[in-house]
Amino acid sequence: MFTCTHYPFRSTILAALPVFSCLLSLEVFSQEDSAKLELYSTYHCVGLEVSFKDEKNANATGEFQYRVKGEEAWTDGVDFTIDRARGKMWGSAFPFKSGDEVEVKVVLTDPDLNGPVKLEGKTKLRKPMEPGKDGNIYHLSSKGKDANEGTKSAPWATFKHAVSRLKAGDVLRVEPGVYRQGIHIENLQGTPEKPIVIEGAATGFDARSVASRLSILPDSKPNTAVLTSIREIEGKAIKWKSHGNDVYSAPVSDFYRAANEASYLAMDGMRMFNYRTLDLFEQNPCETVMPVKDRGYSVEQKVFDQLNGKGEEARPAYTYDRDSGRLHFRLSKGDDPSKHRFSYATAEDGVSILGCSNLLIRNLEIAGFGRSGFFINDGSNGCSIVNNLIHHVPIGIFCEDRKTDALTIWNNHLYDRGLHQFSWRTLMAKKSAGGHHGIILRAGRGHSVVENRIHNFFDLLCMNVESDLDDLTFSRDSDIIGNYGYNAGDDYIEVDGGGVNMRILGNRNFNTLECWSLAPIERGPVYVVGNYGLARNYSVKFNNNKPTRGACFLYHNTGYTVGPGTKAMQMPLGKEPPPFAGKVLKNNLFISGKTFAFGGRLGAKLDYNGYWVLPAGPGEEAVFNWEGGMYKTLEEFYKGAGNEERGLIADPKCARLLPELSSLELLKLRAEDRELEFDLRLTGESPFIDRGVIIRGIKHDYKGQGPDIGAFEAK
Ligand SMILES: [Ca+2]
Ligand SMILES: [Ca+2]
Ligand SMILES: [Ca+2]
């Protein structure tokens, strides 16, 4: 099992998990005209923004301390990230428990002023939303009738009717059964004290404990409330026309509705590739759309292609041709469509939440929709998506609206089936309709994505601001904490762009292409602390060939990459690499495959990190490729690039690595819901025990003489 207790966030987070609600805490204290402190809290973290006026020249600095109410001593906060052009300082304090009251004091120093400017503030950590005490409790059942009163003995039948009756404080209980309908909720407002709750009635339902279903729908009596839009048809019931080369077509009327409208069609429960047009379906080879770039490392490219496929035509695939009204299918060589069962979605979203506030949706199973399990948009605020099982959908949870704030996404289990059949290049070429993401938020402020289990999508957990880097309201003050992701085609956590005060803490992953994609971080500060995982390519990815000047702090992570040619980290390289600055990496442990262990640039500050290259055979050693220089030892690296004065290359003596496992074997695992046994905790003989440095603002209950390198503290 991939179960390791890890430092230091897990216990704090689990303590907050059993109850849920959403309450924004925001207090602003201002003492001087020249400066202002704003605090923004989530359930686990506090974000600071100091607005300041720098007299005369760019030399003002600041620092902060904090304490939880009741504590005597103040704790030093992290170093501020200063944006002088905007006159802002940012920083985050973490981790806290839900409901904690936190006091903050800031001292600003500007040599051009008479004395320091002092600011104080306090804030209360958000508390999970709970159902109100005196609302109505209504019931919905697959055997109900809308003409009923909505009581337990006389339940309603449709969500449409039920939603029209719900008011602030009301609870709708959904009895176990299969519901061939989604929930559409528009402009429905609860309050933090009186949320509107829609919940599966099954007690003891835990999304994470439900075995991942390979079939889209349960066989007979489900023990959960299952929402679906799936229709199924046996291939032998369809009048197929053969076009040669394994291509078949059928009139769309055979599928009752245009399956392409909903963008989800599966063969035997495995998702098919959905070409956007018949032209694309016929053109095929994806190399013409996404040429293989010369990255300067032929060995890497070769291995990358070996691992991720060269972009052959996607099989099995389909497309809908409006002109002929026919669906076209391309199956594996020699396959026969009449031998298979086809499933297709007939509606877009399992639950759509538009312009709503303070909804709590929990304990539902959502399977087989054409766009997403949950679509939350249009300025929704303070909505909680908790403990749901979401599967066989292009996107699990989706928001694309920067006015949607304070989403709580906790404890959900999300997965898809079938994407492993398509190469990385094919999926990156964007020829397909619909998404392939577990969670994707291009949303506003204050999101909490905690303790979700996400697997077998292409990208697992994305919180991107890349499309509008100058909008500071985007994805800021948001947390990605304690999630677990595995068997992905591309990234585990992708925060390309990087919002102000973004926290990525204590997450783990297994068998994704990358662990943490920070490509680029153009805003920040982004804190990546205490995460660990196993990737097929990079642990840390910075290399998308765009400027990346934002602040990003990586502390106490353990990244393990397997296979030849893999890197622990990749930064922008090449003849004219784009600007790069603001990255700090300390106390991390990087274990990687042979060839290049590290590629990087000036603008990154590395120290106190540990490195190891597997397998450690002759001629296979850590190599730092830095601004055109190649360094084989840390001494050379420090002399040549001024980095890693106190780093260490050594066998970390982890509890259990997987040196016998090849990347190709890992790739095959993407087809399954399987984990492998490895354990990145340090054993007592590890040379990385007590080798770390104490970092200002990073809580660490270390044992022995000092913090250990990596995500774990040895006993
Ligand atoms: Ca000044
Ligand atoms: Ca990605
Ligand atoms: Ca220690």
Side-chain angles (χ1 to χ4, degrees):
M1 285 296 291
F2 189 79
T3 48
C4 304
T5 53
H6 58 89
Y7 127 93
F9 304 100
R10 198 168 185 83
S11 56
T12 308
I13 292 154
L14 290 179
L17 267 176
V19 281
F20 304 94
S21 97
C22 185
L23 181 75
L24 196 69
S25 315
L26 178 66
E27 292 184 39
V28 181
F29 280 68
S30 174
Q31 289 190 342
E32 308 251 349
D33 287 346
S34 59
K36 194 180 89 177
L37 168 65
E38 185 194 6
L39 302 177
Y40 186 102
S41 50
T42 56
Y43 301 91
H44 305 106
C45 306
V46 174
L48 288 79
E49 177 177 280
V50 178
S51 308
F52 68 101
K53 236 161 66 191
D54 199 337
E55 293 298 327
K56 291 184 182 169
N57 47 40
N59 60 357
T61 57
E63 55 178 53
F64 75 96
Q65 293 183 302
Y66 66 90
R67 65 182 177 191
V68 177
K69 193 179 171 185
E71 287 176 358
E72 286 263 313
W74 292 85
T75 303
D76 287 337
V78 295
D79 294 334
F80 271 127
T81 295
I82 303 178
D83 184 332
R84 297 193 184 277
R86 291 186 172 85
K88 304 280 187 196
M89 295 186 193
W90 294 299
S92 287
F94 53 83
F96 300 104
K97 288 198 294 293
S98 176
D100 276 353
E101 289 180 54
V102 176
E103 302 170 339
V104 177
K105 60 182 187 183
V106 177
V107 178
L108 297 178
T109 315
D110 187 337
D112 305 303
L113 292 174
N114 284 331
V117 176
K118 292 182 180 174
L119 302 167
E120 282 177 21
K122 56 184 172 180
T123 184
K124 196 170 176 187
L125 276 288
R126 223 186 267 175
K127 270 187 164 172
M129 207 151 59
E130 289 179 81
K133 289 192 176 63
D134 26 273
N136 301 301
I137 297 178
Y138 297 115
H139 295 262
L140 193 135
S141 157
S142 52
K143 300 180 190 81
K145 284 190 192 121
D146 282 347
N148 284 344
E149 289 301 302
T151 59
K152 189 161 174 58
S153 54
W156 292 324
T158 70
F159 289 108
K160 191 175 179 191
H161 177 74
V163 164
S164 74
R165 298 286 299 272
L166 292 176
K167 295 189 173 56
D170 290 350
V171 176
L172 177 66
R173 295 237 165 97
V174 188
E175 298 298 326
V178 175
Y179 296 84
R180 296 194 171 273
Q181 46 180 314
I183 310 178
H184 181 77
I185 316 169
E186 223 172 315
N187 298 320
L188 196 55
Q189 321 300 332
T191 70
E193 298 73 32
K194 292 184 173 185
I196 293 167
V197 182
I198 299 177
E199 61 182 14
T203 52
F205 171 71
D206 177 350
R208 288 176 303 172
S209 71
V210 176
S212 306
R213 280 201 189 113
L214 284 170
S215 63
I216 300 178
L217 294 175
D219 289 336
S220 53
K221 275 189 182 171
N223 57 5
T224 57
V226 186
L227 278 59
T228 188
S229 79
I230 278 291
R231 306 259 181 187
E232 301 202 312
I233 185 165
E234 295 298 329
K236 56 179 182 267
I238 297 171
K239 289 185 216 77
W240 296 101
K241 180 180 169 189
S242 172
H243 298 263
N245 294 325
D246 308 296
V247 173
Y248 297 84
S249 73
V252 72
S253 53
D254 279 6
F255 287 80
Y256 306 107
R257 280 185 58 168
N260 82 304
E261 300 287 339
S263 299
Y264 183 90
L265 198 154
M267 187 169 85
D268 305 326
M270 296 286 191
R271 183 168 164 191
M272 298 174 75
F273 190 89
N274 180 6
Y275 281 96
R276 283 188 279 114
T277 64
L278 185 60
D279 274 357
L280 288 171
F281 176 88
E282 285 170 347
Q283 282 167 16
N284 272 327
C286 291
E287 286 96 332
T288 57
V289 171
M290 190 166 171
V292 176
K293 278 185 197 152
D294 179 18
R295 299 174 173 197
Y297 302 114
S298 54
V299 57
E300 176 186 273
Q301 191 61 62
K302 206 170 134 194
V303 171
F304 190 82
D305 286 342
Q306 190 189 359
L307 289 180
N308 297 288
K310 282 181 184 167
E312 305 92 353
E313 57 195 22
R315 293 167 191 258
Y318 75 101
T319 193
Y320 172 55
D321 180 32
R322 273 168 208 281
D323 294 342
S324 64
R326 294 181 78 82
L327 282 158
H328 293 250
F329 295 77
R330 182 170 54 239
L331 304 185
S332 299
K333 290 195 170 54
D335 204 354
D336 175 355
S338 65
K339 290 181 178 157
H340 298 284
R341 190 184 78 251
F342 295 88
S343 313
Y344 58 99
T346 58
E348 275 199 315
D349 303 303
V351 181
S352 56
I353 297 171
L354 306 178
C356 298
S357 58
N358 301 296
L359 304 186
L360 168 58
I361 317 276
R362 60 184 179 185
N363 306 345
L364 298 176
E365 179 171 347
I366 293 170
F369 285 87
R371 176 170 59 181
S372 71
F374 280 84
F375 181 61
I376 311 146
N377 228 54
D378 296 9
S380 291
N381 183 25
C383 293
S384 294
I385 310 300
V386 174
N387 205 50
N388 301 286
L389 177 65
I390 304 163
H391 57 101
H392 291 89
V393 284
I395 302 174
I397 298 175
F398 183 31
C399 175
E400 56 176 3
D401 161 48
R402 73 193 65 177
K403 290 192 176 69
T404 289
D405 291 327
L407 288 170
T408 298
I409 299 173
W410 284 10
N411 206 20
N412 301 285
H413 182 167
L414 312 102
Y415 65 91
D416 191 21
R417 290 282 167 217
L419 287 172
H420 65 276
Q421 302 169 106
F422 317 120
S423 76
W424 186 85
R425 287 189 195 287
T426 298
L427 285 164
M428 287 301 276
K430 296 186 173 35
K431 286 183 170 186
S432 66
H436 26 63
H437 304 76
I439 296 174
I440 183 162
L441 308 179
R442 297 194 188 98
R445 191 177 199 184
H447 309 300
S448 176
V449 182
V450 174
E451 287 271 325
N452 298 284
R453 182 183 186 102
I454 316 168
H455 55 102
N456 296 70
F457 288 94
F458 188 62
D459 282 314
L460 298 186
L461 206 174
C462 307
M463 204 185 276
N464 295 349
V465 305
E466 207 175 1
S467 54
D468 195 351
L469 292 167
D470 283 327
D471 183 347
L472 297 186
T473 66
F474 225 172
S475 285
R476 66 177 295 173
D477 296 295
S478 290
D479 302 336
I480 296 173
I481 304 180
N483 299 284
Y484 177 32
Y486 54 96
N487 294 342
D490 198 39
D491 303 313
Y492 171 34
I493 293 173
E494 177 185 313
V495 297
D496 297 353
V500 171
N501 283 327
M502 185 180 267
R503 281 94 36 167
I504 301 170
L505 314 175
N507 300 282
R508 63 187 168 120
N509 67 291
F510 163 69
N511 195 21
T512 60
L513 190 66
E514 267 88 43
C515 294
W516 318 295
S517 178
L518 313 158
I521 297 299
E522 188 67 355
R523 281 284 70 76
V526 175
Y527 305 91
V528 182
V529 185
N531 305 281
Y532 63 95
L534 185 155
R536 300 189 302 275
N537 202 32
Y538 308 136
S539 297
V540 187
K541 182 190 173 212
F542 286 116
N543 70 327
N544 75 338
N545 291 318
K546 290 176 186 165
T548 172
R549 285 166 289 225
C552 186
F553 304 94
L554 290 100
Y555 302 137
H556 280 292
N557 303 288
T558 297
Y560 176 20
T561 51
V562 297
T566 59
K567 283 191 179 69
M569 180 175 82
Q570 174 64 304
M571 291 185 176
L573 286 167
K575 282 185 191 125
E576 287 178 36
F580 184 90
K583 313 296 183 276
V584 182
L585 293 89
K586 286 180 184 171
N587 293 354
N588 302 290
L589 175 57
F590 294 112
I591 306 162
S592 73
K594 52 192 170 183
T595 319
F596 299 109
F598 243 80
R601 293 197 62 201
L602 301 174
K605 184 66 196 161
L606 276 61
D607 209 355
Y608 292 99
N609 297 295
Y611 306 88
W612 187 236
V613 180
L614 284 172
E620 294 155 359
E621 52 198 310
V623 174
F624 296 84
N625 178 330
W626 206 266
E627 292 277 332
M630 300 285 272
Y631 308 102
K632 290 205 164 187
T633 67
L634 287 177
E635 291 72 24
E636 283 176 31
F637 185 40
Y638 178 59
K639 244 166 99 181
N643 266 312
E644 277 315 350
E645 188 178 1
R646 287 147 297 203
L648 179 67
I649 299 174
D651 183 343
K653 308 236 186 254
C654 290
R656 182 172 154 79
L657 296 180
L658 297 167
E660 73 280 10
L661 190 78
S662 79
S663 301
L664 287 171
E665 286 170 291
L666 274 178
L667 259 196
K668 287 180 198 152
L669 271 186
R670 284 174 49 211
E672 306 169 31
D673 177 23
R674 198 149 66 86
E675 304 165 55
L676 290 181
E677 282 185 25
F678 69 103
D679 185 342
L680 297 175
R681 283 177 293 186
L682 305 180
T683 57
E685 308 93 75
S686 175
F688 293 109
I689 290 174
D690 296 351
R691 282 285 304 212
V693 63
I694 295 167
I695 299 165
R696 187 188 159 104
I698 301 300
K699 268 188 201 166
H700 198 296
D701 300 326
Y702 64 81
K703 299 178 179 75
Q705 303 300 304
D708 302 351
I709 300 288
F712 305 93
E713 186 70 14
K715 280 186 178 142

